[in-house]
Amino acid sequence: MFDDIYPIDDRCKPLYIAGPCAAESREQLLTTARAVAAAGVGWLRAGVWKPRTRPGSFEGAGDMALQWLADAKSETGLRTMTEVATPQHVEAALASGIDAVWIGARTTTNPFAVQQIADALQGVDIPVLVKNPVNPDVELWIGAVQRIYNAGIRRLAAIHRGFGSYEQTLYRNPPHWSIPIELRRRIPSLPIVCDPSHMAGRADLVEPLAQQAISIGFDGLIVECHCRPSEALSDSAQQLTPVELRRLIGHMRVPERIAAHDAMRDYRSHIDTIDNRLMELLAERMEVARQIGEYKAQHGMPIIHRDRFNEILEAAAANARRMGMSSRFICRIITEIHEESVRQQLTVADKKHDIL
Ligand code: PEP
Ligand code: MN
């Protein structure tokens, strides 16, 4: 499964998509579209139906905005895409000649809604982009991609837009890069486009996040851009001006995608050797942990010693700093290793118990 996924647009590497959070008026959309095209971007995004947290906020211009998107396309040559959340949205968007659709983060969270959209897309050959669910759940994200794939869609991509957080953070939706990286590991053929705008929540944080995504090796960007961000009816703080969009595109440093450099091969084999050594050391540590487990069981000692783990952690943190690594990172690893050692000792203790 997933071996026959094709890029949304193989002319564009990376795939750049930009446009306003919402299509607000014909004039606003066309002015923004001209600027997007002038920045060298190939695709125009604009929300026609907006999922808003509270009723009474601007919920998009609705069906009539589809005509504005079609007009923007015929004037600028940009391909167009919008968000769909119901089968009715899919029908209206397809009837208007839209070039692609995306599924929003709130919708991906709900498998019933995704299935309804998938059913409406059955037999239609149109690119579909699936945003991550609001909560950091890679299985839910994969499930949504699978529903769309099962409907026969083969031009598919994921959009990583960051994840909701209860804590006050610098970002509106912190990126948690390990989740899209896990998605890439699970479905290597699926392109991943980053949405730094919804991650950032603030225009000045968009470009550094965009660069991080491109440097990691993701396949494109979807960026919110408005001809007059301060007047935007939704997501005003995070939309770039056309000048900022042009600057962002001009600044992106895109890594070459050649994996066969000799130097890279050497580095990789060096890394493999180190990983094997780490593995052997871990196996050795677990063997000692089991011996300690035997000893404790024989002498009726408890597995956990109050101060011992703290001592280990403190020593590791100090060593990490001395060796130029973050102590938080090393403490996380040591905590995991310690947990596994305790599990191994519990197994030993259980066996002893069975024998006695
Ligand atoms: C959007 O892209 O305009 C949008 C509503 O984003 P999300 O679904 O990521 O919140
Ligand atoms: Mn938005």
Side-chain angles (χ1 to χ4, degrees):
M1 192 189 258
F2 298 133
D3 285 344
D4 53 350
I5 291 178
Y6 303 106
I8 300 289
D9 182 346
D10 44 23
R11 303 167 312 164
C12 308
K13 276 189 186 125
L15 174 66
Y16 289 139
I17 305 160
C21 179
E24 299 168 355
S25 70
R26 192 170 185 284
E27 183 276 331
Q28 169 254 8
L29 187 65
L30 266 80
T31 309
T32 308
R34 285 178 205 121
V36 165
V41 170
W43 285 77
L44 177 68
R45 62 147 286 153
V48 166
W49 305 278
K50 298 301 300 174
R52 302 308 299 277
T53 305
R54 305 259 303 269
S57 320
F58 172 64
E59 294 191 321
D63 290 39
M64 70 179 163
L66 291 168
Q67 184 56 47
W68 306 336
L69 272 162
D71 294 346
K73 176 180 179 172
S74 59
E75 186 185 317
T76 62
L78 288 167
R79 311 268 173 107
T80 54
M81 64 170 75
T82 196
E83 172 171 347
V84 290
T86 67
Q88 294 74 27
H89 293 166
V90 173
E91 248 169 61
L94 291 176
S96 76
I98 202 93
D99 293 299
V101 294
W102 81 81
I103 298 179
R106 290 162 193 79
T107 309
T108 305
T109 312
N110 178 355
F112 288 129
V114 175
Q115 191 56 52
Q116 286 186 342
I117 295 170
D119 293 345
L121 286 166
Q122 188 82 42
V124 178
D125 180 20
I126 191 172
V128 178
L129 297 93
V130 181
K131 286 199 167 200
N132 62 259
V134 177
N135 50 325
D137 182 343
V138 77
E139 300 300 335
L140 199 53
W141 199 0
I142 292 173
V145 168
Q146 203 170 348
R147 287 176 199 278
I148 302 300
Y149 180 90
N150 288 346
I153 300 288
R154 291 296 178 268
R155 280 182 294 158
L156 250 180
I159 299 178
H160 169 219
R161 49 77 84 194
F163 300 89
S165 169
Y166 289 118
E167 287 161 24
Q168 271 310 100
T169 63
L170 175 62
Y171 301 118
R172 179 179 176 195
N173 292 291
H176 299 308
W177 297 107
S178 60
I179 294 177
I181 290 171
E182 173 62 8
L183 179 69
R184 160 107 336 148
R185 190 184 72 77
R186 299 273 295 273
I187 317 181
S189 57
L190 182 70
I192 304 179
V193 172
C194 176
D195 173 348
S197 305
H198 289 89
M199 258 175 214
R202 259 170 52 184
D204 62 320
L205 297 176
V206 170
E207 185 178 318
L209 284 168
Q211 184 61 62
Q212 284 180 43
I214 292 295
S215 298
I216 289 173
F218 293 147
D219 306 274
L221 297 172
I222 174 165
V223 178
E224 285 191 344
C225 168
H226 190 293
C227 54
R228 296 174 296 273
S230 60
E231 294 170 21
L233 300 179
S234 58
D235 287 352
S236 162
Q238 74 194 28
Q239 303 203 55
L240 302 188
T241 63
V243 170
E244 289 165 339
L245 176 70
R246 202 188 254 272
R247 202 182 303 144
L248 179 148
I249 303 282
H251 285 175
M252 279 306 108
R253 295 181 311 277
V254 182
E256 278 182 69
R257 278 157 202 251
I258 304 167
H261 287 180
D262 282 350
M264 273 310 296
R265 253 200 305 273
D266 292 350
Y267 282 132
R268 287 196 171 136
S269 97
H270 194 174
I271 287 279
D272 290 346
T273 313
I274 294 173
D275 285 351
N276 286 337
R277 267 164 52 205
L278 281 173
M279 215 88 88
E280 280 163 12
L281 281 171
L282 283 173
E284 198 178 319
R285 193 189 195 283
M286 292 308 153
E287 177 52 36
V288 177
R290 283 192 293 272
Q291 288 169 10
I292 298 180
E294 297 258 359
Y295 188 88
K296 286 175 180 165
Q298 259 162 16
H299 294 85
M301 293 161 75
I303 289 175
I304 298 283
H305 274 240
R306 216 164 32 104
D307 300 326
R308 173 66 179 149
F309 184 47
N310 272 337
E311 275 168 31
I312 294 179
L313 273 184
E314 274 162 28
N319 276 336
R321 280 192 292 272
R322 214 170 299 128
M323 295 166 90
M325 291 182 287
S326 114
S327 50
R328 190 166 156 264
F329 159 65
I330 291 299
C331 286
R332 260 182 21 221
I333 290 187
I334 294 287
T335 304
E336 283 288 331
I337 293 176
H338 181 258
E339 246 179 69
E340 179 59 21
S341 294
V342 170
R343 263 194 299 275
Q344 299 273 341
Q345 295 190 19
L346 277 171
T347 323
V348 172
D350 275 356
K351 276 206 199 103
K352 264 270 152 350
H353 189 78
D354 290 347
I355 293 165
L356 290 180

